[in-house]
């Protein structure tokens, strides 16, 4: 089908309402939602899980399944109502005029089909071009998405590519027919922060090159700031604020938008002096929405009889660029008032060393031919000479991309793996060679883990209280059932969950509540060291603030040592005392939070800082995009582990970076880097993040 020219808005959504129908009731997922996307414009759709962002996207694709239907309003694409089109017309539009990129790249790729074959299908089906012409276009698009060796890529199967490469192929597939509208649904959530930065850069460049309009769905406000021209904030099925990025970020006019920004760790936030402010209460379920304003029960400015009287329309904000807010008290609230300070805390005094790792190495032997098990053995060097210590009451962050070895050393510490070489001292006892089944109960209970995904760590058929009591039994705490029950209720108090949750099943809990149960279970045996492996990355921003706050409070009361594994440097900056930066099995930098976040940096830390999206229009960032992926631990590069991606390499004479592993260097009090750069070169480094004067 030929594409039709149209000089008006690409997408006009007007008072859209979408409901899902179950046997029990109608569940309204989206109500009275309006938004317009102009040619070449990128519109961000922001909100927490369950607010209706993805439902809007599926509405645009007319792909709501058997239970979903549009019950009000319209969606027009280039002036034509999508709801009035036949299935045949919609099939022609999907993929050629409107393309969608999903969160999980493998969901969009056929694992049994080579990449090239999957790409050329798009223009051959939609535009009837020849195979030769389609192949030529596929090569061009794969080059556009900055993939190395495009010919080899087209001849590969999806499983032979890394996550970042798979996502680029999915973007290439979406661009094969040069669509007018590209919908991106959380396209970088599954990617590392450096890969995310490169993909976001790529999406922006391709948007300009192809003149594509974009609907960018995300819960990450920093990412929306970097990619979009305008944004729409959603809460519980409704748009609550919409406008240009600058208007909404700098002149927000809805209490929910304001509350969202107060719960994310922007530069300047500090766990002791400027703690985050979590949004009180919980998100309403679709069939339990309050009367009037949906955000009313959680709002600091709620006035009975005004906010809950009747439905709240969108109010235009005069003088701004199409800026509107769904708030009745918009003119009465002092939007410039300083936020009431949350409770501040004294900096905790750090105690003695409780954990010491000295030259820890962890190698795995794998068959070179993994499929059939034969052939030579290859060694995967997951950890190479890891050395650091952690003290009582200290938060030590371990930062790095997937595949850098963070989780491997956590497994050795937990006893799920034993060390190949080196020493792990827990309270001056060697534990590196003792697997978990041979460890004493007090050793197991004193080192506990909080996992990334709370959904996978709870038994779905066991009540919350029973799961915590099971941990107490294993750790031999309490003389009898009654004592254990009492301790279980105290643990629910500790993680700020109501005691009646003891009788609930995991499916009745939200993600944040499940994570609290995971934390309660970790502390059941009086844990002294808690390894938190990305404990908030699966949670919404407002819930993240509450869970991090909870971890900090427990740490202050219990004098816990927290090893916080993360790739999110914003949260690391907010809560850590010291930071260890890992790359390809090596520690490349270590120091206090202040030392690691201000120059001189290790070149990898510098690139990591530049990659983190920050939701603040006053922040200026140095622009560094890393090319390529982390090399394989099975085949690491010679010399410095980072040399294949380092922008400073050319400044080191004699090609030392490529031939010799650099030594550890002390830059100042406890600040160490693994780097060949001279003291003068390091001293010349400029800050990556600057906050401009308002």
């Amino acid at each position: 089908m030929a594409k039709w020219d149209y000089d008006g808005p690409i997408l006009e959504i007007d008072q859209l309402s979408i409901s899902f129908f179950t046997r029990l009731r109608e569940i309204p997922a989206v109500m009275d939602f309006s938004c317009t996307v102009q040619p070449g414009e990128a519109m961000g759709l922001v909100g927490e899980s369950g607010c209706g962002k993805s439902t809007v996207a599926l509405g645009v694709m007319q792909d709501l399944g058997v239970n979903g239907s549009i019950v009000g309003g319209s969606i027009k694409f280039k002036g034509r109502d999508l709801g009035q089109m036949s299935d045949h017309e919609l099939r022609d539009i999907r993929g050629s005029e409107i393309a969608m990129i999903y969160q999980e790249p493998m969901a969009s790729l056929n694992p049994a089909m080579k990449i090239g074959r999957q790409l050329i299908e798009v223009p051959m089906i939609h535009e009837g071009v020849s195979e030769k012409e389609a192949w030529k276009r596929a090569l061009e698009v794969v080059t556009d998405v900055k993939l190395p060796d495009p010919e080899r890529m087209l001849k590969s199967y999806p499983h032979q590519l890394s996550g970042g490469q798979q996502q680029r192929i999915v973007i290439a597939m979406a661009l094969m027919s040069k669509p007018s509208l590209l919908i991106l649904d959380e396209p970088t959530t599954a990617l590392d922060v450096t890969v995310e930065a490169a993909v976001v850069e790529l999406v922006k460049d391709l948007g300009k090159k192809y003149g594509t309009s974009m609907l960018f769905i995300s819960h990450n406000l920093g990412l929306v700031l970097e990619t979009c021209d305008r944004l729409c904030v959603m809460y519980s099925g409704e748009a609550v604020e919409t406008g240009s990025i600058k208007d909404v970020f700098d002149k927000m006019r809805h209490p929910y938008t304001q509350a969202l920004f107060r719960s994310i760790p922007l530069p300047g936030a500090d766990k002791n002096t400027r703690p985050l402010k979590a949004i009180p209460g919980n998100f309403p379920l679709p069939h339990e929405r309050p009367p009037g304003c949906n955000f009313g029960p959680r709002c600091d400015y709620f006035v009975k009889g005004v906010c809950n009287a009747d439905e709240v329309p969108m109010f235009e904000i005069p003088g701004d660029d199409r800026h509107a807010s769904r708030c009745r008290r918009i003119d009465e609230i002092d939007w410039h008032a300083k936020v009431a300070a949350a409770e501040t805390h004294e900096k905790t005094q750090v105690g003695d060393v409780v954990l010491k790792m000295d030259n820890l190495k962890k190698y795995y032997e794998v068959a070179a031919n993994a499929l059939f098990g034969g052939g030579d053995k290859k060694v995967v060097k997951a950890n190479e000479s890891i050395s650091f210590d952690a003290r009582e009451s200290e938060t030590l962050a371990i930062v790095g991309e997937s595949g850098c070895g963070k989780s491997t050393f956590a497994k050795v510490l937990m006893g799920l793996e034993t060390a190949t070489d080196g020493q792990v001292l827990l309270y001056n006892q060697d534990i590196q060679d003792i697997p978990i089944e041979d460890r004493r109960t007090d050793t197991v209970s004193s080192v506990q883990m909080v996992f990334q995904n709370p959904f996978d760590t709870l038994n779905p058929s066991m009540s919350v209280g029973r799961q915590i009591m099971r941990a107490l039994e294993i750790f031999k705490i309490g003389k009898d059932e009654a004592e254990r029950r009492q301790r279980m209720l105290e643990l629910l108090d500790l993680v700020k969950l109501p005691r009646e949750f003891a009788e609930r099943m995991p499916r009745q809990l939200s993600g944040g509540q499940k994570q609290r149960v995971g934390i309660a279970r970790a502390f059941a045996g009086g844990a002294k060291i808690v390894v938190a492996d990305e404990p908030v990355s699966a949670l919404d921003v407002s819930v993240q603030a509450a869970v991090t706050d909870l971890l900090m409070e427990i740490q202050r009361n219990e004098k816990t040592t927290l090893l916080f594994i993360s790739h999110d440097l914003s949260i690391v900056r907010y809560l850590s005392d010291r930071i260890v930066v890992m790359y390809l099995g090596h520690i490349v930098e270590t120091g206090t939070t202040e030392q690691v976040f201000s120059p001189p940096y290790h070149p990898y830390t510098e690139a990591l800082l530049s990659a983190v999206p920050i939701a603040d229009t006053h922040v200026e960032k140095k622009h560094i995009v890393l090319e390529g992926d982390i090399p394989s631990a099975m085949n690491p590069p010679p010399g410095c582990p980072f040399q294949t991606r380092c922008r400073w390499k050319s400044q080191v004479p004699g090609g030392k970076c490529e031939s010799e592993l650099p030594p550890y260097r002390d830059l100042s009090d406890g600040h160490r880097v693994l780097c060949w750069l001279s003291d003068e070169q390091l001293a010349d480094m400029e800050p990556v993040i600057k906050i401009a004067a308002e």
Side-chain angles (χ1 to χ4, degrees):
M1 182 183 122
K3 305 201 175 188
W4 73 89
D5 290 324
Y6 180 72
D7 56 5
I10 296 292
L11 182 69
E12 289 172 279
I13 303 177
D14 187 35
Q15 294 183 322
L16 175 70
S17 293
I18 297 174
S19 287
F20 290 92
F21 293 87
T22 68
R23 280 176 306 185
L24 290 176
R25 60 171 75 88
E26 175 186 346
I27 297 174
V30 174
M31 295 96 65
D32 182 31
F33 178 86
S34 301
C35 110
T36 304
V37 182
Q38 299 292 345
E41 192 171 68
M43 167 71 86
L45 212 48
V46 174
E48 299 170 89
S49 324
C51 72
K53 312 184 293 287
S54 298
T55 308
V56 169
L58 293 172
V60 174
M61 295 300 280
Q62 297 287 307
D63 183 20
L64 291 165
V66 284
N67 294 345
S69 68
I70 293 172
V71 292
S74 64
I75 304 173
K76 287 183 178 166
F77 174 71
K78 291 190 175 178
R80 287 177 58 189
D81 191 332
L82 291 170
Q84 307 298 317
M85 290 188 184
S86 67
D87 286 349
H88 178 71
E89 287 174 305
L90 285 170
R91 253 198 313 275
D92 279 341
I93 286 178
R94 288 190 200 117
S96 68
E97 285 274 9
I98 305 175
M100 187 155 174
I101 296 168
Y102 295 89
Q103 185 167 348
E104 186 46 66
M106 269 314 273
S108 310
L109 295 171
N110 182 336
M113 204 173 180
K114 287 185 178 172
I115 297 290
R117 173 62 43 199
Q118 297 189 52
L119 286 174
I120 64 172
E121 273 187 346
V122 183
M124 284 169 73
I125 289 169
H126 284 293
E127 297 168 50
V129 303
S130 69
E131 187 170 332
K132 190 178 173 191
E133 175 59 34
W135 189 265
K136 191 173 142 209
R137 196 186 294 182
L139 265 177
E140 181 194 333
V141 176
V142 172
T143 311
D144 274 347
V145 295
K146 298 198 168 74
L147 279 167
D149 195 352
E151 287 274 5
R152 184 176 63 81
M153 284 290 161
L154 293 180
K155 290 174 183 159
S156 303
Y157 285 99
H159 70 266
Q160 295 171 304
L161 276 54
S162 70
Q165 289 172 335
Q166 287 172 0
Q167 193 60 293
R168 284 162 193 246
I169 289 294
V170 172
I171 292 171
M173 197 184 286
L175 292 168
M176 278 298 282
S177 283
K178 303 189 171 61
S180 306
L181 177 67
L182 188 56
I183 302 173
L184 303 104
D185 190 357
E186 303 267 13
T188 59
T189 308
L191 305 178
D192 276 314
V193 64
T194 52
V195 181
E196 174 180 86
V199 168
V200 163
E201 181 78 5
L202 172 74
V203 166
K204 280 197 318 202
D205 289 351
L206 294 173
K208 288 193 187 82
K209 175 175 175 178
Y210 291 105
T212 311
S213 302
M214 287 191 276
L215 191 60
F216 193 97
I217 297 170
S218 180
H219 65 269
N220 184 330
L221 286 157
L223 214 51
V224 167
L225 169 65
E226 293 189 359
T227 40
C228 299
D229 310 300
R230 303 181 59 74
L231 90 157
C232 176
V233 181
M234 287 187 76
Y235 180 79
S236 189
E238 295 179 323
V240 292
E241 183 163 11
T242 179
S244 70
I245 290 286
K246 192 130 185 61
D247 284 344
V248 177
F249 274 61
D250 294 348
K251 295 189 281 184
M252 53 194 78
R253 287 293 179 270
H254 194 280
Y256 175 62
T257 315
Q258 193 181 57
L260 260 189
F261 275 88
R262 286 175 182 171
S263 64
I264 53 179
L266 297 172
D270 176 272
K271 64 179 176 185
N272 296 317
T273 55
R274 286 185 58 191
L276 299 179
K277 193 166 184 285
I279 305 176
N282 286 317
F283 203 76
L285 291 170
H287 56 282
E288 294 174 357
R289 291 188 175 108
C293 174
N294 282 344
F295 187 58
R298 305 174 73 188
C299 180
D300 290 344
Y301 307 108
F302 179 79
V303 172
K304 203 171 175 183
V306 176
C307 301
N308 60 348
D310 49 18
E311 292 301 308
V312 186
M314 287 292 261
F315 295 99
E316 290 291 325
I317 293 157
D320 288 352
D321 175 19
R322 293 169 284 157
H323 187 186
S325 164
R326 196 182 292 274
C327 177
R328 285 215 178 273
R329 303 197 57 222
I330 202 163
D331 298 326
E332 300 160 34
I333 296 170
D334 179 1
W335 296 102
H336 302 293
K338 284 273 180 266
V339 55
E343 189 187 344
T344 57
H345 304 279
E346 289 291 309
K347 195 172 184 334
T348 39
Q349 289 307 306
V350 171
D352 297 333
V353 172
V354 293
L355 173 71
K356 188 172 176 59
M357 288 209 176
D358 196 19
N359 263 335
L360 175 78
K361 290 182 169 59
K362 177 62 189 171
Y363 297 168
Y364 295 97
E365 267 200 354
V366 294
N369 185 339
L371 192 58
F372 301 107
D376 303 334
K377 294 274 193 217
K378 279 202 165 186
V379 174
V380 177
K381 297 183 175 181
N383 286 159
E384 274 281 22
S385 51
I386 303 286
S387 300
F388 66 83
D389 55 41
R391 298 164 186 274
E392 184 184 84
S393 296
E394 179 176 52
T395 303
L396 179 72
I398 292 109
V399 174
E401 296 169 276
S402 317
C404 73
K406 312 186 291 279
S407 298
T408 300
F409 95 75
K411 284 178 188 165
V412 174
L413 174 58
M414 301 298 297
L416 301 171
E417 300 278 3
T418 52
T420 306
D421 195 9
Q423 196 176 35
V424 180
L425 286 171
L426 178 67
Y427 295 106
N428 285 327
Q429 288 185 328
D430 284 345
I431 58 164
Q432 67 277 355
D433 300 322
I434 311 173
I436 194 160
E437 58 270 23
D438 298 337
R439 288 189 177 180
R440 297 196 335 235
T441 306
D442 61 340
T443 306
V444 174
S445 65
S446 63
V447 185
Q448 284 292 300
M449 197 152 181
V450 177
F451 295 91
Q452 177 169 3
N453 197 337
F455 307 92
D456 296 342
T457 54
L458 297 179
N459 183 335
S461 57
M462 210 187 252
S463 73
V464 164
R466 175 54 44 209
Q467 303 204 36
I468 297 173
M469 285 170 73
R470 179 92 185 90
L472 293 168
E473 281 167 30
I474 291 167
F475 298 142
K476 301 182 172 60
I477 285 167
K479 289 198 300 290
D480 53 24
E481 188 82 355
E483 269 195 23
R484 282 195 278 272
R485 183 165 181 80
Q486 184 54 34
R487 176 71 185 133
M488 177 268 290
L489 293 172
E490 287 164 9
L491 283 162
L492 287 178
D493 296 343
L494 179 76
V495 296
K496 298 200 166 53
L497 282 176
R499 287 186 167 197
E500 55 267 26
F501 271 44
E503 309 310 321
R504 291 202 183 176
M505 302 302 279
R507 66 173 184 276
Q508 295 171 292
L509 273 55
S510 69
Q513 289 165 343
K514 283 183 184 153
Q515 194 59 295
R516 284 165 190 257
V517 176
I519 294 169
R521 210 171 44 177
F523 281 95
K528 289 292 166 214
I529 297 174
V530 171
V531 182
D533 189 358
E534 304 266 13
V536 293
S537 62
L539 306 176
D540 280 315
V541 272
S542 60
V543 184
Q544 272 185 15
V547 172
T548 19
D549 198 35
L550 173 70
L551 279 171
M552 295 295 100
E553 188 177 324
I554 295 174
Q555 180 183 46
R556 279 190 285 273
N557 296 335
E558 310 278 323
K559 294 194 156 61
T560 322
T561 303
L562 192 62
L563 296 186
F564 193 88
I565 298 175
S566 183
H567 66 267
D568 179 349
L569 283 167
S570 304
I571 207 105
V572 161
R573 180 181 208 158
Y574 171 66
L575 57 78
S576 63
D577 303 307
R578 282 192 306 132
I579 298 175
V580 166
V581 183
M582 286 185 71
Y583 186 83
L584 200 58
H586 292 264
I587 289 179
V588 294
E589 181 164 8
T590 176
T592 65
T593 305
E594 287 75 30
Q595 287 168 337
V596 172
F597 272 84
S598 46
Y601 315 102
H602 185 277
Y604 176 57
T605 312
E606 180 190 44
L608 268 185
L609 290 172
S610 164
V612 178
I614 299 173
D616 189 337
T617 53
H618 302 107
V619 166
E620 290 172 12
K621 275 197 314 185
K622 200 179 195 125
H623 192 66
I624 305 160
V625 171
L626 285 183
E627 298 296 331
D629 292 314
I630 287 196
S632 161
M634 204 187 286
N635 188 19
C640 169
F642 186 57
Q643 55 102 345
T644 55
R645 300 166 83 195
C646 182
R647 70 191 194 103
W648 291 83
K649 185 169 68 172
S650 58
Q651 304 199 21
V652 176
K656 267 204 298 200
C657 296
E658 291 164 356
S659 55
E660 292 176 61
L661 182 69
Y664 266 116
R665 311 216 336 249
D666 282 303
L667 300 184
S668 60
D669 184 26
H671 187 197
R672 307 180 76 199
V673 293
L674 187 81
C675 190
W676 280 119
L677 287 173
S678 68
D679 291 347
E680 294 75 37
Q681 287 166 320
L682 285 166
D684 281 349
M685 277 192 167
E686 295 169 357
V688 172
I689 297 168
K690 286 183 189 160
I691 299 176
E694 293 196 27

